[in-house]
Amino acid sequence: MDFGLVLQTDPPASQVISLMKRAERNGFRYGWTFDSAVLWQEPFVIYSQILANTQKLHVGPMVTNPGTRTWEVTASTFATLNDMYGNRTVCGIGRGDSAMRVAGRAPNTLARLGESMDVIRDLAEGREAVVDGNPIRIPWIKDGRLPVWMAAYGPKALALAGQKADGFILQLADPFLTEWMVKAVRQAAAEAGRDPDSITICVAAPAYVGDDLAHARDQCRWFGGMVGNHVADLVSRYGEHSGMVPEELTAYIKDRHGYDYSHHGRAGNTSTDFVPDEIVDRFCLLGPAEAHIEKLRVLRDLGVDQFALYDMHDAREATIDAYGSDIIPSFG
């Protein structure tokens, strides 16, 4: 199992770079960031410095979207980083939540997302693609490689991930829901004539190593609110009891009342008071190192290839170090 670190690109950028260097020293192989241009600093600028200051770390957004940049710009940006640092980027992509809504736009449609994934990958790897009806190719790209990993929750999005994505990003660490969603992605891949096992499975969630569970829960409760944004979209689309989405995912948002993106992804977010302890425990990894190892082994046995650790709390360095000394070595 691989391990990744997920950060927000809060200023100063030097702190983000320092934490990514620390992660690589501790055995992490991937460095991810949020991508929301209004809320945080521009991640692709920072990726260049992360890559320059690490040796093997792969970097990318968790996640970008097809709406805030044109597709040829996104492809060229990834390709430039790959040309400079040796194919060490991954394009995590989704419909867009904070990046789109904070700018007053609706998330992208799945049709647009699916088309963008093909175009961005083709352009970044040097092939011709059609953008807004015009065939284009980026002529300077040689031997480019860009895996495209898609974030998804709902049945149609999971099917799209299975049909088109090189990897599937699931932003929660609940074993029941992981099993259900990985099965849906792989079934869609098989029905599309793809090898289901060729899709990399990445589970992303906050982790807090320590014995004070009450404090750890409060530091990670924001995550249930962030996931709740996507769940609310699913409930509005499919209904709460439609059978299309497991009630293990949808039931907890019944007391949700709006969301303030100015506190997005931050401990103490007052928009997440509706998130019960049970959801924090299910969606996150909390407790002593042994508890993390036990849950990660369950996820690994369900087919998870990477655990990406959201590190937005008051023990960022300690968590990175604890994973490096006590947890990652247990997974070879």
Side-chain angles (χ1 to χ4, degrees):
M1 177 183 276
D2 284 331
F3 289 83
L5 181 70
V6 189
L7 299 174
Q8 294 168 337
T9 52
D10 284 315
S14 59
Q15 177 70 4
V16 178
I17 297 161
S18 176
L19 289 169
M20 290 298 186
K21 291 167 62 179
R22 191 185 198 107
E24 184 177 59
R25 292 196 302 269
N26 277 282
F28 289 78
R29 292 192 59 229
Y30 288 79
W32 304 93
T33 74
F34 283 39
D35 177 15
S36 189
V38 174
L39 296 177
W40 302 289
Q41 293 185 329
E42 171 55 39
F44 286 93
V45 177
I46 299 172
Y47 295 157
S48 187
Q49 286 298 301
I50 295 172
L51 290 166
N53 283 276
T54 57
Q55 284 70 54
K56 296 182 179 180
L57 200 71
H58 288 66
V59 305
M62 188 172 284
V63 292
T64 193
N65 71 86
T68 52
R69 301 176 186 86
T70 60
W71 302 348
E72 72 276 12
V73 168
T74 298
S76 183
T77 304
F78 277 113
T80 301
L81 293 171
N82 283 337
D83 187 63
M84 294 171 68
Y85 300 107
N87 286 339
R88 289 166 55 198
T89 66
V90 181
C91 177
I93 195 167
R95 293 177 60 232
D97 177 33
S98 62
M100 298 297 287
R101 288 180 164 129
V102 168
R105 306 184 186 104
N108 296 270
T109 65
L110 287 176
R112 180 174 171 81
L113 174 58
E115 183 183 0
S116 75
M117 289 163 58
D118 290 336
V119 168
I120 291 168
R121 183 195 294 111
D122 283 344
L123 290 177
E125 295 185 347
R127 295 183 295 276
E128 182 179 283
V130 177
V131 179
D132 294 330
N134 299 307
I136 60 173
R137 187 177 71 84
I138 303 175
W140 52 263
I141 296 176
K142 309 295 182 187
D143 301 319
R145 171 76 179 129
L146 183 65
V148 177
W149 296 9
M150 179 183 157
Y153 292 108
K156 292 181 180 178
L158 294 169
L160 181 62
Q163 293 158 6
K164 290 183 176 287
D166 301 301
F168 164 50
I169 297 171
L170 174 58
Q171 291 165 308
L172 52 81
D174 176 72
F176 174 84
L177 293 171
T178 297
E179 182 176 21
W180 188 88
M181 294 186 186
V182 169
K183 181 179 179 181
V185 169
R186 288 186 166 152
Q187 181 177 338
E191 291 172 354
R194 305 179 67 200
D195 177 5
D197 293 329
S198 69
I199 300 174
T200 302
I201 306 297
C202 174
V203 159
Y208 198 109
V209 181
D211 295 323
D212 188 343
L213 279 178
H215 180 72
R217 286 171 180 143
D218 286 343
Q219 288 290 300
C220 298
R221 198 175 307 277
W222 64 266
F223 185 68
M226 186 187 83
V227 174
N229 292 332
H230 303 285
V231 175
D233 286 344
L234 295 177
V235 170
S236 67
R237 187 174 301 116
Y238 298 107
E240 185 176 349
H241 306 291
S242 66
M244 298 289 289
V245 182
E247 291 192 27
E248 288 82 355
L249 178 61
T250 61
Y252 83 98
I253 69 163
K254 64 181 182 300
D255 295 323
R256 176 182 182 270
H257 303 288
Y259 188 81
D260 183 355
Y261 280 95
S262 66
H263 304 292
H264 188 56
R266 300 188 187 279
N269 186 343
T270 55
S271 297
T272 63
D273 292 345
F274 69 93
V275 180
D277 288 350
E278 177 205 359
I279 288 294
V280 183
D281 292 347
R282 282 173 48 200
F283 285 11
C284 304
L285 278 79
L286 311 174
E290 293 78 11
H292 292 242
I293 293 169
E294 181 180 359
K295 190 167 187 178
L296 287 167
R297 284 176 174 161
V298 171
L299 293 170
R300 179 195 60 189
D301 292 345
L302 292 174
V304 174
D305 300 298
Q306 179 185 154
F307 173 62
L309 186 163
Y310 282 100
D311 203 28
M312 280 76 79
H313 49 61
D314 62 2
R316 293 189 298 176
E317 291 87 351
T319 297
I320 293 170
D321 292 346
Y323 262 71
S325 62
D326 301 330
I327 297 171
I328 292 176
S330 298
F331 295 87

